[in-house]
C-alpha cells in the first residue's frame, strides 16, 4: 500500500471522476476525505474502506480555510489535494449573460486556487503535492463550453506557476482528461450506442473509466513521481483523430 498513512483530500469526490479518484487512493492505502456541497447517495468506498465526507462550498474562502485547518488538526497531516470539483452546462456564449459564464470560471479556476492556497501550509509540512484535474477542453476550441475551456486552460497554467513558486516543498501537476465514462455520460453522449460510437473515435477505442484517472492521480501523488512537478499528464486514450484526415480526398485506400 504505497500511500499507507497518507491523508488525501479529493474535491468533488462524491461521484463520477472524483469518486473514481477517491477509490484509487483508498486502494493505495491512503486516508481519503471527499468534499462537495451535497453528500453522496452512498458512501465512496473500496475494499471495505470508506472515504470521509465533508460538506463544503469551495466558493466560500472562509469555509475552505476552516475545512483544511480542521483536516490538519484532526488527522495531523495533509499529503495531497486533488482539485477535481468542476463542470459546466452546455451553453453557447451568446445564449448566456456574462455573470453565468463567470460562475463557470469561478468553480473551475478560482475554487481550485482557493483550495490550493488553503491547503498549502499543511502540504508544505509533509512535502506533499497538488493534482489539478484539467481537460482537453483547455487545449482546443470548446464551442458550447467556452468558459469551461478557458478555465481549464488557466488551471493548467496556474499549476505550472504553483510548481515553480512552491518548490521544492510542494509538487504541483495536472491531469489533462479526455472523455470519461461516468454515471452522467448519457447526458453528453446519449445511449449505449452513442457512447460506443464516441468511444470508437478515441485511438484506444473506448472512453476512460474513472479508475483510469484515479490510477494516474495516485502515481502523481506517490513517491514514484518524486521528481515530477509542473507537468501535464495527458489521460485521453491517444487524443482525437484529426477531422481533416477523414475529410481529405488524398491518401485514401482504394478497395479492390
Amino acid at each position: 500500500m504505497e500511500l499507507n498513512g497518507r491523508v488525501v483530500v479529493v474535491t468533488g469526490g462524491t461521484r463520477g471522476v472524483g469518486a473514481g479518484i477517491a477509490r484509487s487512493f483508498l486502494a493505495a492505502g491512503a486516508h481519503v476525505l471527499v468534499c462537495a456541497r451535497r453528500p453522496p447517495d452512498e458512501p465512496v468506498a473500496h475494499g471495505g474502506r470508506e472515504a470521509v465526507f465533508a460538506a463544503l462550498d469551495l466558493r466560500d474562502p472562509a469555509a475552505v480555510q476552516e475545512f483544511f485547518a480542521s483536516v490538519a488538526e484532526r488527522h495531523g497531516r495533509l499529503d495531497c489535494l486533488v482539485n477535481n470539483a468542476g463542470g459546466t452546462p452546455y451553453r453557447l456564449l451568446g445564449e448566456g449573460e456574462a455573470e453565468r459564464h463567470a460562475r463557470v470560471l469561478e468553480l473551475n479556476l478560482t475554487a481550485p486556487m482557493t483550495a490550493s492556497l488553503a491547503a498549502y501550509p499543511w502540504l508544505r509540512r509533509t512535502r506533499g503535492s497538488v493534482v489539478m484535474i484539467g481537460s482537453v477542453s483547455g487545449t482546443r476550441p470548446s464551442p458550447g463550453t467556452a468558459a469551461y475551456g478557458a478555465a481549464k486552460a488557466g488551471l493548467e497554467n496556474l499549476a505550472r506557476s504553483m510548481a515553480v513558486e512552491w518548490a521544492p516543498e510542494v509538487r504541483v501537476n495536472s491531469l489533462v482528461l479526455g472523455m470519461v465514462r461516468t454515471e452522467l455520460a448519457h447526458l453528453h453522449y446519449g445511449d449505449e450506442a452513442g457512447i460506443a460510437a464516441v468511444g470508437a473515435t478515441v485511438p484506444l477505442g473506448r472512453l476512460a473509466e474513472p479508475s483510469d484517472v484515479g490510477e494516474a492521480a495516485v502515481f502523481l501523488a506517490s513517491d514514484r513521481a518524486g521528481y515530477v512537478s509542473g507537468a501535464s499528464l495527458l489521460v485521453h486514450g491517444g487524443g482525437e483523430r484529426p477531422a481533416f484526415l477523414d475529410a481529405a480526398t488524398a491518401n485514401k485506400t482504394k478497395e479492390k
Side-chain angles (χ1 to χ4, degrees):
M1 308 279 285
E2 61 183 312
L3 298 183
N4 191 35
R6 310 278 180 93
V7 176
V8 178
V9 169
V10 181
T11 69
T14 58
R15 65 180 185 179
V17 171
I21 293 171
R23 293 188 187 101
S24 292
F25 275 101
L26 287 170
H31 182 79
V32 181
L33 298 94
V34 296
C35 58
R37 286 183 295 170
R38 291 179 292 274
D41 294 332
E42 57 185 37
V44 178
H46 179 86
R49 304 177 65 240
E50 291 186 8
V52 176
F53 169 75
L56 179 64
D57 185 347
L58 290 164
R59 295 168 295 186
D60 182 344
V64 173
Q65 287 279 357
E66 182 179 349
F67 167 72
F68 281 101
S70 69
V71 169
E73 180 179 354
R74 181 176 304 175
H75 302 284
R77 60 187 297 141
L78 176 63
D79 297 276
C80 181
L81 164 63
V82 181
N83 279 308
N84 165 78
T88 183
Y90 181 88
R91 181 181 294 119
L92 295 172
L93 280 171
E95 296 178 353
E97 301 82 5
E99 292 79 5
R100 287 193 175 186
H101 297 300
R103 285 197 288 271
V104 174
L105 291 168
E106 181 183 20
L107 176 62
N108 291 280
L109 179 56
T110 306
M113 181 170 63
T114 300
S116 298
L117 290 170
Y120 171 66
W122 316 109
L123 292 172
R124 186 177 182 182
R125 296 183 184 184
T126 59
R127 298 183 75 88
S129 69
V130 177
V131 179
M132 302 291 196
I133 304 301
S135 169
V136 294
S137 293
T139 63
R140 56 162 169 73
S142 298
T145 57
Y148 176 79
K152 290 301 187 180
L155 188 67
E156 196 171 349
N157 186 274
L158 176 65
R160 293 195 187 105
S161 296
M162 282 183 174
V164 174
E165 290 194 19
W166 292 357
E169 292 86 2
V170 178
R171 295 184 299 107
V172 186
N173 293 291
S174 298
L175 293 178
V176 182
L177 308 188
M179 297 175 288
V180 184
R181 178 168 185 156
T182 70
E183 61 268 34
L184 300 179
H186 65 282
L187 298 178
H188 303 282
Y189 312 123
D191 58 14
E192 287 298 317
I195 292 172
V198 172
T201 69
V202 179
L204 287 188
R206 64 174 177 86
L207 304 186
E209 296 293 335
S211 59
D212 294 319
V213 182
E215 292 303 306
V218 167
F219 164 70
L220 289 179
S222 74
D223 294 338
R224 289 180 292 162
Y227 198 65
V228 180
S229 193
S232 297
L233 177 59
L234 297 171
V235 185
H236 60 9
E240 302 173 1
R241 178 177 171 82
F244 78 84
L245 292 177
D246 295 323
T249 58
N251 301 316
K252 298 291 185 181
T253 300
K254 295 181 179 179
E255 294 183 2
K256 295 182 179 180

